[in-house]
Amino acid sequence: MIPLLSRADARALDADAVRVYGLPTCVLMENAGRGATGVLLDRLRGAAAEAVIVGGLGQNGGDAWVVARHLVVAGMRPRVFLCGSPPQVKGDAWVNLNALLALGVDVTALELEGVGVLEESLRSAKVVVDGLFGTGLTRPVEGLAREVIRVMNAFPAPKFALDLPSGIDANSGAVMGENIRAAITATFGCHKRGLYQQPGAAAAGEVALVSIGMPFPTRSSTRLFEAEDAAERVTPRRPDAHKGSAGHVVIVAGSDEAPGAAVLAGVAALRAGAGKVTVWTRARALNAPPDLLVRPFREETPAAVEECVAFVRDHADSVVIGPGLGLDAFAATLCHQVARQMKMPVVLDADALTHAAADPSIFKASPGPRVVTPHPKEAARLLSCDVRDIQADRYRAVLRIAREFQVVSCLKGSHTVLAEPEGEIRVVRRGSPALAVAGTGDVLAGAVGAHVVALPAMDGASVAVLQHAVAGELASVGDRGLLASEVAAALPAALASFCSDDVVLDDV
């Protein structure tokens, strides 16, 4: 799995370069700038001849001066701007700024000239290199820098960001007041967490990793979960496999108000690989396919709850509870009894999460693995906060849920993020905006239920999230109009796409 580093991790990586590998910081800056220039010329060679480069006062500005120097050496004449005053530039950045000046390049200080001169250059620019701020930004962008970012974004030339789009928080992907909207980001030495959560992911555009001349980091608590990672965990079935060996998933879901949720979760569990699925449902009229075994609640009494619990205990290899189940006392009792008594993996989704938010004792002393699959609003209920707090730092939110409730937490959305109590976080960057439709969460819950039969909870949930995301890509035409049932139908093809021997893996 590809490590995603925080701001502190990135600083530690730079420190290791000096302390462990004996690489001076000026060498790291040179490697970063030279590598970024290579990416720029590879992706936008025709535009690079008419580049505008805007650097800040710090190390990110130093990277920009290296890029400018290498373009000059290649015979190009970039127009170069400093957001600030030259005497404020220090250290390695000052060395590289002086080297650029020694080549006869004019560097316009915007603090003295104002942004009007930048606007004039941007009118004819074919690409704009952003070297204002890197991973070190810890407070909202303001003043001259904020105005410079607004001016840069106002013109159509593609933006090429160095390390991180300026104004994006390296840890969370949040916007720090104002941010560059890049077409390409050349990130240095390692991938950053902020590049793989929204809005940072959208702001970054295409991400290209640039080596800074030291070994790629292998240790991080946060990682991308990719096709090859899923392929390592999903083993081919034995030739003598049968429905019993494939796992029996029990779905406790559906009501008269939402009968389809149970069907979607049940079909998805089969499509994701379960050998047998039984649906316990409150819906009196369930339009279920014959592939599902349906056991309706004939009455809603304590005895009915015990009958369901006994069935689960005796027959299930995993349980999915909550989709469309309802928010009344009977549904609450079901959720509590199943979650607190069962030794097999239990996936809590939808209405089960609302019951858990109302009474977190649902997770108290759980005898087996528990997976929760909240969307941001459900996560906010679990943590008694606002949805904006969840989305402002999804890494923090998903880890809080995992630790406070001792579960594997799967926070749904663009770039779904998973966490377990021990602190490991995984990000699945695949998916499609077309998945933003009712019922796709039920499909995901069913898929998770199928995979946690054979895999540890964190692995099973990760594989299911990736499978679900790829199914959404395969089944969608454009960014809307997708049906949840179509996502379920595409689950087998999605799994085959990254588990077959001839799969072409993503180039990161």
Side-chain angles (χ1 to χ4, degrees), residues 349-374:
D349 181 54
D351 292 341
L353 298 175
T354 300
H355 293 301
D359 184 1
S361 69
I362 196 170
F363 299 114
K364 186 176 181 181
S366 297
R370 301 294 179 257
V371 181
V372 298
T373 55

Side-chain angles (χ1 to χ4, degrees), residues 408-434:
V408 169
S409 175
C410 168
L411 179 56
K412 296 181 289 194
S414 176
H415 292 66
T416 291
V417 57
L418 304 96
E420 59 182 359
E422 293 74 19
E424 182 180 0
I425 299 174
R426 296 177 183 174
V427 178
V428 173
R429 59 173 167 172
R430 299 288 296 271
S432 164

Side-chain angles (χ1 to χ4, degrees), residues 146-184:
R146 183 167 185 146
E147 183 61 22
V148 167
I149 289 175
R150 286 176 174 171
V151 168
M152 291 166 70
N153 283 332
F155 290 87
K159 314 305 182 293
F160 183 87
L162 301 179
D163 208 17
L164 201 75
S166 291
I168 293 297
D169 183 79
N171 286 346
S172 67
V175 174
M176 307 287 279
E178 196 79 30
N179 71 279
I180 288 292
R181 297 188 292 272
I184 302 170

Side-chain angles (χ1 to χ4, degrees), residues 58-373:
Q59 299 296 91
N60 200 236
D63 300 328
W65 314 141
V66 176
V67 171
R69 173 162 48 82
H70 281 284
L71 290 180
V72 170
V73 170
M76 304 176 190
R77 299 298 295 181
R79 288 160 287 175
V80 184
F81 296 87
L82 168 64
C83 184
S85 177
Q88 296 174 287
V89 181
K90 307 295 181 185
D92 297 329
W94 175 246
V95 171
N96 280 292
L97 180 58
N98 275 334
L100 186 61
L101 293 169
L103 288 174
V105 177
D106 292 327
V107 178
T108 303
L110 295 175
E111 184 175 280
L112 303 176
E113 301 291 340
V115 297
V117 64
L118 174 61
E119 288 182 293
E120 286 302 314
S121 288
L122 290 172
R123 295 184 196 283
S124 58
K126 295 296 178 63
V127 62
V128 182
V129 177
D130 160 37
L132 287 170
F133 302 104
T135 59
L137 185 67
T138 59
R139 63 180 185 273
V141 179
E142 55 188 19
L144 175 64
R146 183 167 185 146
E147 183 61 22
V148 167
I149 289 175
R150 286 176 174 171
V151 168
M152 291 166 70
N153 283 332
F155 290 87
K159 314 305 182 293
F160 183 87
L162 301 179
D163 208 17
L164 201 75
S166 291
I168 293 297
D169 183 79
N171 286 346
S172 67
V175 174
M176 307 287 279
E178 196 79 30
N179 71 279
I180 288 292
R181 297 188 292 272
I184 302 170
T185 296
T187 196
F188 303 139
C190 58
H191 292 274
K192 315 302 188 299
R193 295 192 346 167
L195 297 172
Y196 294 96
Q197 285 297 295
Q198 301 293 6
E206 176 195 351
V207 177
L209 181 63
V210 171
S211 171
I212 57 174
M214 61 179 293
F216 190 69
T218 57
R219 291 188 178 182
S220 173
S221 61
T222 306
R223 295 170 176 268
L224 281 176
F225 189 84
E226 302 279 77
E228 59 265 40
D229 303 311
E232 289 174 359
R233 289 159 173 79
V234 180
T235 57
R237 283 185 176 171
R238 291 168 53 92
D240 59 351
H242 54 85
K243 66 181 180 182
S245 64
H248 184 178
V249 180
V250 175
I251 311 288
V252 184
S255 61
D256 288 340
E257 290 74 25
V263 175
L264 287 169
V267 170
L270 287 173
R271 290 290 192 176
K276 182 179 180 181
V277 174
T278 299
V279 176
W280 279 74
T281 183
R282 304 175 71 187
R284 286 169 291 186
L286 193 70
N287 186 23
D291 314 83
L292 300 176
L293 304 173
V294 180
R295 295 181 68 101
F297 287 99
R298 291 183 293 274
E299 54 184 3
E300 297 187 354
T301 63
V305 171
E306 183 51 40
E307 182 186 7
C308 177
V309 168
F311 180 91
V312 170
R313 183 186 299 113
D314 294 341
H315 300 285
D317 295 305
S318 73
V319 189
V320 176
I321 187 166
L325 189 61
L327 299 176
D328 57 3
F330 180 74
T333 301
L334 271 171
C335 292
H336 275 263
Q337 293 299 318
V338 169
R340 294 185 66 174
Q341 292 189 38
M342 298 301 104
K343 294 181 180 180
M344 74 287 294
V346 178
V347 181
L348 293 95
D349 181 54
D351 292 341
L353 298 175
T354 300
H355 293 301
D359 184 1
S361 69
I362 196 170
F363 299 114
K364 186 176 181 181
S366 297
R370 301 294 179 257
V371 181
V372 298
T373 55

